[in-house]
Amino acid sequence: MNTKLLSINKEAWDKAAERFYGRNPLPEYGPLAPTEEELQLFGDVSNKKVLDIGCGSGHSLFYMKQHHASELWGIDLSKSQVKAAKLLLKNCTPPVQLFESPMEINPGLPINYFDIVYSIYALGWTTNLEQTLGHIHSYLKPGGTFIFSWEHPLYNRVKHTNSELIFNQSYHDEGSYEHEAWSQPVFMQQYKISTYINALIRNGFAIDQIVEDISLSELDIERHSNRWYSYEKAQFLPTTLIIKSRKL
């Protein structure tokens, strides 16, 4: 766990939380990506105990509430994000359990407890993938489901300029990098698809499904025009990697 990078990211998220309020929560998995209505990865979550890793403003947990999950738990690095989530979910019964903490450590979450753990566009913020996946495995009941989405490993390595796609970084390069789309320093982690898969396997997960599809509906195109995730680039490269796995 890199405490220096965590401190930088926490400060950045505390300042930028409002900018990302309600951005791409479930049923969305990410910009220009298929939704849960299309993929049906979670299935029926009624009476399920769910944990959101990197819960942000709480909108994915609110989606779970609407679909009758029995318990809602969340963890996020940012104090501002947790505050926003508490406000959004203040009327939930039973009350939502939220923790302000890095995902690399267990802040007091129960072991072998959850039916479903998920992370929507948050796992790539971890400074220690193995540590994080080890904790997620411990939180789940045997046979429990872990689903995550994150920016596709190819997307950031390729530039789209003047109708050309140009690799500006080797696919083999992994580790932390400063993201250019932010106005202040933030550090995300870059891994190959095989790194995610092998880390899941090492930490006791079986892979059920991998999704690299895109969704280019008129609404998607309108929402993401001239942004980091653009329609033009998504025609050639997936924006999002989605993996469904389960605890052995």
Side-chain angles (χ1 to χ4, degrees), residues 74-245:
I75 179 173
D76 199 277
L77 177 66
S78 165
K79 177 182 288 187
S80 298
Q81 292 281 53
V82 170
K83 182 179 179 181
K86 285 181 177 178
L87 188 60
L88 178 71
L89 301 164
K90 64 181 179 180
N91 295 322
C92 288
T93 304
V96 181
Q97 303 294 322
L98 296 173
F99 295 80
E100 181 192 333
S101 171
M103 62 182 79
E104 293 87 344
I105 65 173
N106 182 349
L109 292 162
I111 303 301
N112 297 318
Y113 187 76
F114 295 97
D115 301 290
I116 299 170
V117 177
Y118 64 89
S119 181
I120 306 302
Y121 252 69
L123 192 67
W125 289 95
T126 182
T127 63
N128 190 315
L129 182 63
E130 295 282 346
Q131 212 166 39
T132 297
L133 292 179
H135 284 305
I136 290 169
H137 186 273
S138 72
Y139 303 146
L140 282 165
K141 297 176 181 177
T145 296
F146 173 48
I147 297 171
F148 80 88
S149 67
W150 181 243
E151 183 176 276
H152 194 281
L154 277 175
Y155 196 84
N156 188 52
R157 292 166 162 95
V158 177
K159 290 288 187 184
H160 180 261
T161 307
N162 298 324
S163 301
E164 293 184 327
L165 295 173
I166 302 170
F167 266 90
N168 65 335
Q169 183 182 355
S170 169
Y171 183 70
H172 305 295
D173 291 345
E174 297 187 290
S176 62
Y177 69 99
E178 186 172 348
H179 202 291
E180 64 184 76
W182 282 61
S183 58
Q184 63 191 96
V186 293
F187 291 87
M188 300 179 189
Q189 303 300 313
Q190 194 143 263
Y191 298 112
K192 298 180 290 187
I193 293 175
S194 59
T195 298
Y196 283 114
I197 292 172
N198 290 327
L200 285 164
I201 292 169
R202 279 194 300 272
N203 283 280
F205 290 96
I207 311 299
D208 287 337
Q209 192 169 344
I210 299 176
V211 180
E212 299 177 279
D213 299 330
I214 57 172
S215 180
L216 297 178
S217 68
E218 289 186 11
L219 178 60
D220 290 316
I221 294 167
E222 180 182 344
R223 289 182 61 200
H224 299 288
S225 178
N226 300 318
R227 295 189 183 182
W228 177 259
Y229 300 102
S230 69
Y231 162 75
E232 290 77 16
K233 189 173 175 181
Q235 291 179 90
F236 300 96
L237 292 168
T239 61
T240 302
L241 173 67
I242 308 168
I243 297 182
K244 178 180 179 179
S245 60

Side-chain angles (χ1 to χ4, degrees), residues 11-22:
E11 180 180 353
W13 269 109
D14 282 341
K15 292 180 179 178
E18 186 175 339
R19 171 183 159 198
F20 291 94
Y21 184 81

